[in-house]
Amino acid sequence: MLKIESLTPENLEAMLGRRGLAALDEKVVATVRDILRAVAERGDGAVLEYTRRFDGVDLKLGQIRVPAQATQAALADIPIKVREALELAAERIYEFHRRQLPESWMMEANGARLGQRVTPVGRAGLYVPGGRASYPSSVLMNAIPAQIAGVEEIALCVPPGKDGQVSQYVLAAAAIAGIDEIYMIGGAQAIGALAYGTETIKAVDKITGPGNVYVATAKRLVIGQVDIDMIAGPTEVVIVADGQAPPEFIAADMIAQAEHDPLSAAILITADADLPSAVLEQLAEQTAASPRSEIVRESLVANGRVLVASDLDTAMDFVNRYAPEHLELMTANPEELLPKVKNAGAVFMGAYTPEALGDYVAGANHVLPTASTARFYSPLGVYDFLKWTSVLSFSREAMAAIGPAAVILAEVEGLDGHARSVELRLKEPQ
């Protein structure tokens, strides 16, 4: 299924060269542009049309929004152990993210006051993917930071299943998160509806949440109409391991990523000569037993790698070039490697910190930058739902102290009106 390869510069360049190309596919971009234009022009009618075409669900006009009472009904109907797990996840996500909330501030000196006001966006649109699986955890990961930020209006979009319904687990998670504005639409048409608004759906200020290539491309194209969190693509994990890492753990974590999607990537890097063969044996055995073995095999064949590096420093150089969404440091002393990490969405340290723990109940956000965008994007957080407003207040004396410098710079830039607006105040009788 996989072969053992040496980690070389050529390998790295080949892997980097394939990153992010799907989101720039011209056919995908053209299709998404047409969808967005149709939604902007025809609103609900276009949304219903594309839901029939792409999801195979014939919704009527009044069925786009899920009845508010459906969330509480779902919460009451799901197994108690699932409810308790969702509530535990929500509690831990809240505790992690509440520490991200910044404060407004002001500084004052010699009659001048400068500062920042931190305020939430007015309305947020959360996208939760569907299709191959349902993701109640994504509801919590998106909604809880928005609520901590103080967003007053939160709308949730989730694709319908083939039965024309939203997953009961997704609805239950929405109930736990206190979200009752839910729309049963997905894909690029959902992003268009959130960005431009329709007869049923009010436009938002910010869109967050992961999705397929059409969702990612739609988010890219509506930037400027609204803000977005990031352009997320297929999930990925890089595992840096030494000879003490259990091969069965490594294989299990690679499969956990591969089972998401055939486009997912699972990569092992090690400097140990014996570990790769042991991992390949475990991959074959565990994949055969996986209920999603077909997806796993397709993903591993297309995007999986088992790489042997000359040493762990070389492995970490690869990590920082690749900038993975998930990085597992499965070594005897992961703390020694952590300072070497420059680019990664999230770092999972030690053999007993699997990435899957972070997907659900660890508390850190699982909406993370993919496709090497961890070089400049951060995990979804409270800060994504906030904006900063600068505040300035000068007395006459404070203005006079620095005004001449402003006049000089305005004249250098050829902006006479700027210079005059300051000079008038400098010449005003005291």
Side-chain angles (χ1 to χ4, degrees), residues 4 10 13 25 45 53 170 218 224 234 241 301 308 310 315 324 377 404:
I4 302 170
E10 292 75 19
E13 293 304 323
D25 183 281
R53 185 188 303 182
V170 167
V301 168
V308 179
S310 56
Y377 278 137

Side-chain angles (χ1 to χ4, degrees), residues 2 18 22 130-133 135 212-213 233-236 254-266 292-305 322:
L2 287 175
R18 290 194 293 269
R132 296 180 185 274
Y135 298 97
N212 63 18
V213 64
T235 190
E236 62 206 15
M254 293 177 73
I255 289 171
Q257 291 305 300
E259 72 174 353
H260 273 288
D261 188 290
L263 297 175
S264 301
R292 299 168 70 85
S293 59
E294 185 176 343
I295 296 172
V296 170
R297 286 194 182 92
E298 191 175 347
S299 171
L300 290 176
V301 168
N303 304 300
R305 294 289 187 277
Y322 192 85

Side-chain angles (χ1 to χ4, degrees), residues 73-155:
L75 187 60
D77 287 345
I78 63 172
I80 186 64
K81 66 178 183 180
V82 178
R83 176 173 180 163
E84 290 174 346
L86 287 171
E87 289 172 340
L88 173 64
E91 179 182 343
R92 295 184 62 86
I93 293 165
Y94 177 84
E95 285 302 314
F96 179 91
H97 288 83
R98 71 179 178 85
R99 292 169 170 79
Q100 295 179 341
L101 190 63
E103 295 181 352
S104 300
W105 58 268
M106 293 289 292
M107 66 178 188
E108 197 166 343
N110 302 321
R113 298 173 67 234
L114 296 171
Q116 286 187 159
R117 290 191 66 239
V118 181
T119 57
V121 299
R123 180 169 167 81
L126 316 182
Y127 187 88
V128 173
R132 296 180 185 274
S134 65
Y135 298 97
S137 57
S138 288
V139 176
L140 303 178
M141 294 288 181
N142 280 269
I144 292 173
Q147 291 169 327
I148 293 171
V151 179
E152 292 185 0
E153 297 181 18
I154 301 175

Side-chain angles (χ1 to χ4, degrees), residues 111-234:
R113 298 173 67 234
L114 296 171
Q116 286 187 159
R117 290 191 66 239
V118 181
T119 57
V121 299
R123 180 169 167 81
L126 316 182
Y127 187 88
V128 173
R132 296 180 185 274
S134 65
Y135 298 97
S137 57
S138 288
V139 176
L140 303 178
M141 294 288 181
N142 280 269
I144 292 173
Q147 291 169 327
I148 293 171
V151 179
E152 292 185 0
E153 297 181 18
I154 301 175
L156 175 68
C157 283
V158 57
K162 293 299 183 184
D163 59 356
Q165 302 296 320
V166 174
S167 160
Q168 290 294 92
Y169 297 122
V170 167
L171 292 177
I176 290 171
I179 306 298
D180 60 11
E181 186 183 344
I182 303 171
Y183 299 100
M184 191 163 40
I185 56 171
Q189 61 269 27
I191 301 303
L194 291 172
Y196 302 112
T198 72
E199 299 89 331
T200 300
I201 303 171
K202 180 181 173 183
V204 302
D205 302 309
K206 178 118 184 189
I207 299 174
T208 70
N212 63 18
V213 64
Y214 292 92
V215 170
T217 302
K219 288 173 69 177
R220 184 193 299 271
L221 293 176
V222 299
I223 293 173
Q225 178 71 25
V226 293
D227 189 21
I228 67 167
D229 52 347
M230 65 188 79
I231 302 168

Side-chain angles (χ1 to χ4, degrees), residues 294-359:
E294 185 176 343
I295 296 172
V296 170
R297 286 194 182 92
E298 191 175 347
S299 171
L300 290 176
V301 168
N303 304 300
R305 294 289 187 277
V306 175
L307 303 173
V308 179
S310 56
D311 52 47
L312 290 182
D313 283 341
T314 302
M316 295 309 296
D317 288 341
F318 169 92
V319 165
N320 288 319
R321 289 287 309 281
Y322 192 85
E325 175 189 15
H326 306 104
L327 171 62
E328 292 190 3
L329 300 179
M330 209 178 297
T331 61
N333 297 298
E335 295 282 355
E336 293 181 359
L337 293 181
L338 183 61
K340 301 177 186 292
V341 178
K342 297 178 181 177
N343 301 317
V347 183
F348 301 79
M349 299 174 59
Y352 290 92
T353 314
E355 183 278 323
L357 205 65
D359 274 347

